[in-house]
Amino acid sequence: MNIVITGAAGFLGKKLVKALLAKGSLLNRQGQMQNITKITAFDIAPLAGIDNPRLQVVCGDISNPAELANLINEQTDSVFHLAAIVSGQAEQDFDLGMKINVDAARQIMERLRALPQRIRLVTTSSVAVFGGNLPDKVPDDQVWMPQSSYGTQKAMNDLLLSDYSRRGFLDGRSLRMPTIVVRPGKPNAAASSFASGIIREPLNGEAANCPVSTDTRLWLMSPDKAVAALIRGHELDSEKLDQGRVINLCGLSVTVETMIGSLRKIAGDDVVARISYQPDQAIINIVNSWPGDFHADYARRLGFEANASFDEMVREYLAEKDATA
Amino acid sequence: MNIVITGAAGFLGKKLVKALLAKGSLLNRQGQMQNITKITAFDIAPLAGIDNPRLQVVCGDISNPAELANLINEQTDSVFHLAAIVSGQAEQDFDLGMKINVDAARQIMERLRALPQRIRLVTTSSVAVFGGNLPDKVPDDQVWMPQSSYGTQKAMNDLLLSDYSRRGFLDGRSLRMPTIVVRPGKPNAAASSFASGIIREPLNGEAANCPVSTDTRLWLMSPDKAVAALIRGHELDSEKLDQGRVINLCGLSVTVETMIGSLRKIAGDDVVARISYQPDQAIINIVNSWPGDFHADYARRLGFEANASFDEMVREYLAEKDATA
């Protein structure tokens, strides 16, 4: 099994590389377990800190078709395409978002189409495709009405992946990710960055700002569950995908207040006191356009799993922090 | 008022040119009636048969950015973008469909974005964006799940037009057209071509084949109503577009049997006897993936109108035929 991962130096990419190396095998398109012989970890910056003979680290530009042609070739069985411009940056720089989130993704699909073997493509989409008048709990057949360029670009990609799959150019699966919390590391330009920041920074003795109202409801998934979902998304038999190639994953629906309550229970009042509450209207506008709860019946039927509680998500972060300390 | 129409030599384009010349004025973005001083009719083939000092006929390639830059310029107030690769052809030639229905449409939007004035863009989308498990009557908030490359491409375009409008690059409106019946002229490569053919050909003394079951339900609109909808779509104040820039138009929901019944009532048994019933599985697959009935509440609220009966649609064709005979 020869696997290519784009955006591999990102936090989810790196976790996926580790998980695949640990797992050692994946189902192939014939439904048989096959050893993973090679993982090519592609990103604009090198994936550092993992040393394994089956891992090849490659730096490059996902928007360059010549580099893509080298990266993805006759030996490739599966591609996890995780490289993306995040929501805040795609809103600030429309052209960069289109270039990476739409055009580069399309070039990857064109590359898969040009190869003789049917390659499995797993990619991520976002709840940012939803917006407008929404029910409290969004059903799987809810129309897409993105209120951001990021959501627009992810939805375009979802459509294209579905059509490329229908035409047999590739075997695609797009997973609509809840907001991933608690992300390790630094804040990023995603409008949802605060959702990890208000847990992570206080736990690390630092101040964090909550830019939205504490009654804001978010749809969340922990990093471990996200990696499990990517692998599950890869393993599904195409014939099971009877509701299409785009899957609204199941997540945990919680308010910011509940999140802070878990933090208080697990880490105490002093830690929670490091959170400030300065509203940021730009973030409020984007985050409020995202739904806070989903039915996700299709994902559940396909065997995807949600976190049981926000406590579990805080504890997952603490365990990860201890393991890497 | 300086108007550009792409696909102007097509049947809908030509009807729109005539209707705009007859109307003589349109609302501008300030909500004031303004005389139409120039219509540029752009198409790959020349628009023939209309002679008017306000009309300029230009031939060219919509996928060429240099030609677009000449066509749409500092004097342009509004663009009706009707040029498209139809459903059957987009399914046969994927790359051509992407080039015209996605890339050329995006280039037009980029051109509008580059100009200093806010240009109104009216374009057409299609019920081919819908598919999968659908309710009998499709609501406005139904998810898009195209089962054809044409539907995929139109949906991508709808997303892009909405985001370009939200960002203030242009003032767009995308009208999801029902199947237009009765089209004049010859059959085309659209999967829906038969829906006009089974009325038009018998009325002209020719044989026609019905490739689908007569209990197939179709969502229809006459050419006159379609042109009225394009003009209505242009005239709407942006502030009224509170459910987004993509509008499922209201149409008439009828079975093929009802259509043939109208033809029998208006033209007699001998005319209906010219229809044969040879199934075509490729057409059945595409047409059966399109919904046959819609709520279209948003369109109704915005003042769009549907045909009252299929009799009316047959009579509109006969009147048009007499007028041009």
Side-chain angles (χ1 to χ4, degrees):
Chain A
M1 200 91 181
N2 187 319
I3 298 168
V4 171
I5 303 177
T6 74
F11 112 91
L12 204 56
K14 190 170 180 176
K15 267 192 98 73
L16 178 64
V17 169
K18 284 182 187 168
L20 290 176
L21 288 171
K23 188 168 155 58
S25 60
L26 277 182
L27 286 179
N28 63 17
R29 279 185 35 86
Q30 288 70 46
Q32 294 151 338
M33 265 299 167
Q34 203 177 324
N35 287 337
I36 297 172
T37 48
K38 186 178 175 189
I39 297 177
T40 308
F42 187 87
D43 210 316
I44 201 154
L47 168 64
I50 306 178
D51 190 27
N52 189 295
R54 287 170 294 159
L55 178 67
Q56 185 190 14
V57 173
V58 179
C59 281
D61 177 1
I62 205 76
S63 68
N64 181 334
E67 293 184 33
L68 280 185
N70 279 331
L71 177 69
I72 303 169
N73 53 48
E74 282 72 7
Q75 280 72 52
T76 306
D77 294 299
S78 300
V79 175
F80 289 88
H81 173 47
L82 306 180
I85 300 297
V86 296
S87 54
Q89 198 180 359
E91 196 59 26
Q92 275 167 20
D93 188 341
F94 176 75
D95 296 304
L96 180 63
M98 287 298 294
K99 181 180 167 186
I100 301 300
N101 295 345
V102 176
D103 296 332
R106 181 170 164 193
Q107 279 163 17
I108 289 174
M109 294 192 229
E110 278 297 297
R111 179 59 184 149
L112 300 191
R113 176 187 177 194
L115 287 164
Q117 75 276 32
R118 184 81 52 89
I119 296 174
R120 212 161 252 192
L121 172 65
V122 181
T123 191
T124 57
S125 183
S126 165
V127 297
V129 305
F130 298 104
N133 287 346
L134 287 169
D136 287 341
K137 194 164 180 168
V138 174
D140 283 331
D141 62 0
Q142 179 67 41
V143 72
W144 313 340
M145 197 181 280
Q147 307 294 312
S148 65
S149 293
Y150 179 73
T152 299
Q153 292 155 8
K154 285 292 183 181
M156 290 176 73
N157 197 40
D158 289 341
L159 286 162
L160 215 43
L161 174 139
S162 300
D163 203 42
Y164 273 68
S165 297
R166 186 186 63 84
R167 296 191 75 116
F169 296 160
L170 50 83
D171 179 6
R173 294 98 199 273
S174 177
L175 309 179
R176 288 242 173 88
M177 291 278 172
T179 298
I180 309 293
V181 169
V182 181
R183 284 176 176 266
K186 300 280 167 204
N188 68 10
S192 58
S193 181
F194 78 89
S196 288
I198 58 169
I199 307 300
R200 181 185 58 222
E201 269 71 284
L203 285 173
N204 291 321
E206 293 163 27
N209 184 52
C210 176
V212 303
S213 160
T214 56
D215 62 4
T216 304
R217 188 167 277 278
L218 299 174
W219 181 241
L220 304 180
M221 177 177 255
S222 74
D224 282 354
K225 282 276 188 277
V227 168
L230 287 169
I231 294 174
R232 177 86 199 145
H234 180 278
E235 301 300 72
L236 289 167
D237 190 323
S238 335
E239 294 188 0
K240 293 236 171 86
L241 301 173
D242 55 5
Q243 298 290 304
R245 300 297 183 139
V246 185
I247 303 164
N248 293 329
L249 291 188
C250 17
L252 181 71
S253 174
V254 286
T255 62
V256 172
E257 194 174 355
T258 300
M259 295 167 66
I260 294 172
S262 284
L263 183 66
R264 190 183 307 275
K265 187 165 73 179
I266 293 169
D269 288 344
D270 292 354
V271 168
V272 168
R274 297 186 184 124
I275 304 172
S276 62
Y277 301 88
Q278 193 66 41
D280 179 326
Q281 201 55 48
I283 292 179
I284 292 170
N285 290 347
I286 295 181
V287 173
N288 281 359
S289 78
W290 300 345
D293 200 3
F294 286 77
H295 286 282
D297 297 325
Y298 184 37
R300 229 174 298 274
R301 184 154 62 76
L302 293 173
F304 290 93
E305 283 179 8
N307 294 92
S309 69
F310 194 72
D311 291 3
E312 174 187 305
M313 297 169 76
V314 175
R315 294 207 174 92
E316 179 184 313
Y317 173 70
L318 286 172
E320 178 89 14
K321 193 165 117 83
D322 285 348
T324 56
Chain B
M1 200 91 179
N2 186 320
I3 298 168
V4 170
I5 303 177
T6 75
F11 113 91
L12 205 56
K14 189 169 180 177
K15 267 191 98 74
L16 178 64
V17 169
K18 283 182 187 167
L20 290 176
L21 287 171
K23 188 169 155 59
S25 61
L26 277 182
L27 285 179
N28 62 18
R29 278 184 37 87
Q30 288 69 45
Q32 294 152 337
M33 265 299 168
Q34 203 177 324
N35 286 338
I36 297 172
T37 48
K38 186 178 175 189
I39 297 177
T40 308
F42 187 88
D43 209 317
I44 200 154
L47 168 65
I50 307 177
D51 191 27
N52 189 295
R54 288 170 293 159
L55 178 67
Q56 186 190 13
V57 174
V58 179
C59 281
D61 177 0
I62 205 76
S63 68
N64 181 333
E67 293 184 33
L68 279 185
N70 278 330
L71 177 68
I72 302 170
N73 53 47
E74 283 72 8
Q75 280 72 52
T76 306
D77 294 299
S78 300
V79 174
F80 289 88
H81 173 48
L82 306 180
I85 299 297
V86 296
S87 53
Q89 199 180 359
E91 197 59 25
Q92 275 167 20
D93 188 341
F94 176 75
D95 297 303
L96 180 64
M98 287 298 293
K99 180 179 167 184
I100 300 300
N101 294 344
V102 176
D103 297 332
R106 180 170 163 193
Q107 279 163 17
I108 288 174
M109 293 192 229
E110 278 297 297
R111 178 60 183 148
L112 300 192
R113 176 187 177 193
L115 287 165
Q117 75 276 30
R118 184 80 52 92
I119 296 173
R120 212 160 253 194
L121 172 65
V122 182
T123 191
T124 57
S125 183
S126 165
V127 298
V129 305
F130 298 103
N133 288 345
L134 286 169
D136 286 341
K137 194 164 179 170
V138 174
D140 282 331
D141 62 0
Q142 178 68 41
V143 71
W144 313 341
M145 197 182 281
Q147 306 295 312
S148 65
S149 294
Y150 178 74
T152 299
Q153 292 155 7
K154 285 293 184 180
M156 290 176 73
N157 197 41
D158 288 341
L159 286 161
L160 215 44
L161 174 139
S162 299
D163 203 42
Y164 273 67
S165 297
R166 186 186 63 82
R167 295 192 77 115
F169 296 160
L170 50 81
D171 179 7
R173 294 98 200 273
S174 178
L175 309 179
R176 288 242 173 88
M177 291 279 172
T179 298
I180 309 292
V181 169
V182 182
R183 283 177 176 264
K186 299 282 168 203
N188 68 11
S192 58
S193 181
F194 77 89
S196 287
I198 57 169
I199 307 300
R200 180 186 60 222
E201 268 71 282
L203 285 172
N204 291 320
E206 292 163 26
N209 184 54
C210 176
V212 303
S213 160
T214 56
D215 62 6
T216 304
R217 187 167 279 279
L218 299 173
W219 181 239
L220 304 180
M221 176 177 256
S222 74
D224 282 354
K225 282 277 189 276
V227 167
L230 287 169
I231 294 173
R232 177 86 198 146
H234 180 278
E235 299 300 72
L236 288 167
D237 190 323
S238 332
E239 295 190 358
K240 292 234 172 87
L241 300 173
D242 55 6
Q243 298 290 304
R245 299 297 183 139
V246 184
I247 304 165
N248 294 329
L249 291 187
C250 18
L252 181 72
S253 175
V254 286
T255 61
V256 171
E257 195 173 355
T258 300
M259 295 167 67
I260 294 171
S262 282
L263 183 65
R264 191 184 305 277
K265 186 165 73 178
I266 293 168
D269 288 343
D270 292 355
V271 168
V272 167
R274 296 184 185 125
I275 304 173
S276 61
Y277 301 87
Q278 193 66 41
D280 179 327
Q281 200 56 47
I283 292 179
I284 290 170
N285 290 347
I286 295 180
V287 172
N288 281 359
S289 77
W290 301 344
D293 199 3
F294 286 78
H295 286 282
D297 297 325
Y298 185 37
R300 231 175 295 274
R301 184 154 63 78
L302 293 173
F304 290 93
E305 283 179 8
N307 293 93
S309 69
F310 194 72
D311 290 5
E312 175 187 304
M313 297 170 77
V314 175
R315 292 206 176 92
E316 179 184 312
Y317 174 70
L318 287 171
E320 178 89 14
K321 193 164 117 86
D322 284 350
T324 55

